[in-house]
Amino acid sequence: MSLSSIGTGIENSANDSQKVMIDSKVVSQKKKRGCKRWGLMSIPGIGILFSLCSAFFFSINSTVVKSLDLHPVQLSLSRCSVQFLILLPIVQYKHKEVDIMGPEGLKLILWARGFVGSTAMIFLYYAIDELSVGNAVTITYISVILVPFMARFLLKESLTIFDLIFGVITLIGVIFIAQPTFLFPLPEGEKPQSALGVLFGTMSATCMSLSVIIIRKLGRQTYPPLNVMYYSFCGSITTTIVLIAVGKFQYPCLSDTPRIFSLGVVGVLAQFFLTLALQTERAGTVGVLRSFQIILIYILQVTVLGDIPSYLSLIGAALIFSSSIGIGIRKIINEGKRRRSVVKSRLIESN
């Protein structure tokens, strides 16, 4: 072997090592940027805090809606418009890191999340208009039970006997809240629960179930404010069309303006924390923690609105709450078993 060939080999290896060093620096810089962007998400248990914050702000939002004497679709439009105006500058500020059109391959899913999520909000506001705020919000929690059934048909996942049991308990809870007159004779002079309100609540729960599946499908691949911005933009389009169709727009009183504006601010916070919770915590844990909104909303109904629920409504709420907790705990246990089995199989493979 000649000296020149040896020198050439040394030079080539030096160039290769230099390229490796440059590539490693680029990778490390990308990792640093990623950590900076998602650093908050790496804190242990942060998803639990996100879930509780989401439940709190959703409860505040529903209470404000009940306190306003405006058409539900107009309130939905007000919330979505304010949300969009708040989030657009935030997403635009991140335009170098975030594609405002959405990640490649997920654009249609992002649009679907926007339209399905905003439709759930519209139905919820209709239900709040027809029912007490506690009953309306509680009925929407049948979405926790609907998710496994939808996953069975959409994702071909299996159903268990526990899903069926919790489903029956939830159905009984809804019956207690709806209080059909053929099962629960009303005292003289008392109005029955609105069947239309129960229907709206059920439709909202169905859309919420689809929205949860879509958000889980998106995972961490979308910037959380972008996720909520699409929700707000699609909601603005949907509510504008519906409001023109029903012709129920009315100018609000000046004293109502701060509360109307707060719908958008609180709505941004609620949706933002829900998205973060689903991106950082297991779905079962999020479901359990967000179920505490049922307790919180009845507290706000009594303390803020002065509306005392009937004992039948409280029984129904307790049944739905227990089903949500049961479904969530079961998911947590199953996910724990799955993780342990994965770790065990890896240990066996390594040995």
Side-chain angles (χ1 to χ4, degrees):
M1 184 180 291
S2 64
L3 292 174
S4 61
S5 61
I6 293 172
T8 304
I10 294 172
E11 185 179 353
N12 289 337
S13 63
N15 290 335
D16 291 340
S17 63
Q18 188 176 3
K19 287 179 181 178
V20 171
M21 289 175 66
I22 292 172
D23 291 340
S24 64
K25 284 182 180 179
V26 172
V27 171
S28 65
Q29 286 174 358
K30 287 181 178 179
K31 285 182 178 179
K32 284 180 181 178
R33 285 199 296 267
C35 291
K36 184 178 179 181
R37 179 176 165 186
W38 303 104
L40 190 61
M41 292 187 173
S42 62
I43 300 175
I46 193 67
I48 294 174
L49 178 61
F50 290 151
S51 301
L52 293 174
C53 288
S54 172
F56 172 75
F57 286 116
F58 273 122
S59 299
I60 295 295
N61 190 276
S62 298
T63 305
V64 173
V65 168
K66 189 65 178 179
S67 68
L68 290 166
D69 189 21
L70 292 172
H71 194 273
V73 179
Q74 185 174 343
L75 292 174
S76 303
L77 175 59
S78 301
R79 170 182 166 179
C80 288
S81 301
V82 174
Q83 285 182 172
F84 182 73
L85 292 175
I86 292 172
L87 291 167
L88 182 60
I90 297 173
V91 175
Q92 185 61 31
Y93 176 74
K94 291 279 190 178
H95 71 279
K96 292 183 179 179
E97 302 174 29
V98 180
D99 183 3
I100 197 170
M101 299 303 294
E104 197 63 37
L106 295 175
K107 290 181 173 63
L108 289 178
I109 299 177
L110 199 58
W111 280 97
R113 184 270 185 272
F115 279 112
V116 172
S118 58
T119 303
M121 173 196 62
I122 295 171
F123 283 134
L124 172 60
Y125 284 10
Y126 266 114
I128 291 173
D129 187 56
E130 294 286 336
L131 303 169
S132 69
V133 64
N135 289 354
V137 170
T138 301
I139 288 174
T140 62
Y141 268 82
I142 65 174
S143 62
V144 178
I145 309 300
L146 290 175
V147 167
F149 288 91
M150 287 188 174
R152 173 70 182 88
F153 294 102
L154 298 177
L155 305 177
K156 306 302 179 183
E157 295 181 1
S158 59
L159 277 174
T160 67
I161 187 65
F162 292 103
D163 294 320
L164 297 175
I165 292 172
F166 288 128
V168 171
I169 293 173
T170 300
L171 180 60
I172 295 171
V174 172
I175 291 173
F176 270 98
I177 290 176
Q179 299 167 29
T181 52
F182 64 90
L183 289 177
F184 302 98
L186 290 173
E188 191 174 343
E190 187 174 328
K191 291 183 179 180
Q193 291 283 357
S194 169
L196 194 59
V198 175
L199 177 63
F200 283 138
T202 306
M203 293 172 73
S204 176
T206 305
C207 292
M208 285 181 183
S209 304
L210 286 172
S211 184
V212 167
I213 292 174
I214 293 170
I215 291 175
R216 294 300 296 175
K217 179 70 175 176
L218 289 171
R220 295 194 185 190
Q221 300 178 70
T222 54
Y223 185 48
L226 179 67
N227 196 321
V228 184
M229 191 192 78
Y230 267 81
Y231 169 98
S232 307
F233 181 68
C234 295
S236 298
I237 296 173
T238 306
T239 51
T240 300
I241 294 171
V242 174
L243 195 60
I244 292 172
V246 299
K248 294 290 185 179
F249 177 82
Q250 65 182 87
Y251 290 99
C253 300
L254 190 62
S255 59
D256 290 338
T257 305
R259 280 182 291 168
I260 294 173
F261 183 79
S262 72
L263 284 177
V265 177
V266 175
V268 166
L269 292 171
Q271 285 292 331
F272 182 63
F273 281 118
L274 174 60
T275 302
L276 286 177
L278 290 170
Q279 288 182 345
T280 55
E281 191 56 74
R282 292 174 294 183
T285 306
V286 175
V288 168
L289 294 170
R290 285 200 64 240
S291 298
F292 284 96
Q293 184 187 357
I294 295 175
I295 297 174
L296 184 58
I297 195 66
Y298 278 109
I299 293 173
L300 291 174
Q301 176 180 318
V302 174
T303 57
V304 177
L305 302 176
D307 183 6
I308 300 175
S310 67
Y311 74 93
L312 290 175
S313 294
L314 292 178
I315 292 173
L319 289 171
I320 294 175
F321 177 74
S322 61
S323 293
S324 300
I325 294 293
I327 284 282
I329 291 174
R330 179 180 159 272
K331 285 182 179 180
I332 293 171
I333 293 172
N334 288 342
E335 288 173 7
K337 289 180 179 178
R338 195 179 301 116
R339 287 188 178 186
R340 285 193 295 272
S341 64
V342 169
V343 171
K344 187 177 180 180
S345 62
R346 286 178 179 175
L347 287 173
I348 293 172
E349 289 175 2
S350 62
N351 292 332

